[in-house]
Amino acid sequence: MTQLKDRVIVASDVNPRDGIGVEVYRDNELFVEIFRDDTDRTRTVKVFKETISLELMEECIKIFKNEIPWGFIEYVD
């Protein structure tokens, strides 16, 4: 049995959204992105597979909370 290889990438994005997030890969296939948008002050989850296990989603959220600061960046005009 082949062991699955997981990989996490922490990345920022500035166009069209502005923030930072994590991408979770399994065997080089993107499964989940969780993103904190500082402009919209939102946190979103994008799932790239039709279904994933609850355990994997919980692990993705845990990774996000450990890697990404919870507070939003305050922009000053």
Side-chain angles (χ1 to χ4, degrees):
M1 180 181 198
T2 305
Q3 185 166 351
L4 295 173
K5 296 180 182 173
D6 292 341
R7 177 169 50 111
V8 175
I9 295 177
V10 176
S12 64
D13 192 0
V14 293
N15 191 7
R17 57 193 186 171
D18 187 9
I20 191 167
V22 295
E23 296 175 341
V24 179
Y25 293 80
R26 179 159 284 176
D27 285 336
N28 292 319
E29 190 173 357
L30 180 58
F31 268 59
V32 174
E33 175 198 66
I34 305 177
F35 190 78
R36 185 195 77 202
D37 190 317
D38 293 317
T39 303
D40 294 340
R41 302 180 65 78
T42 59
R43 295 174 194 88
T44 57
V45 176
K46 188 170 187 179
V47 180
F48 293 90
K49 301 300 284 179
E50 190 171 316
T51 59
I52 64 169
S53 70
L54 177 60
E55 292 80 13
L56 177 57
M57 180 56 72
E58 289 173 334
E59 184 63 25
C60 292
I61 292 168
K62 181 178 176 184
I63 291 167
F64 176 82
K65 287 182 174 182
N66 287 334
E67 295 293 330
I68 306 301
W70 192 249
F72 295 102
I73 293 175
E74 297 294 329
Y75 293 103
V76 178
D77 292 331

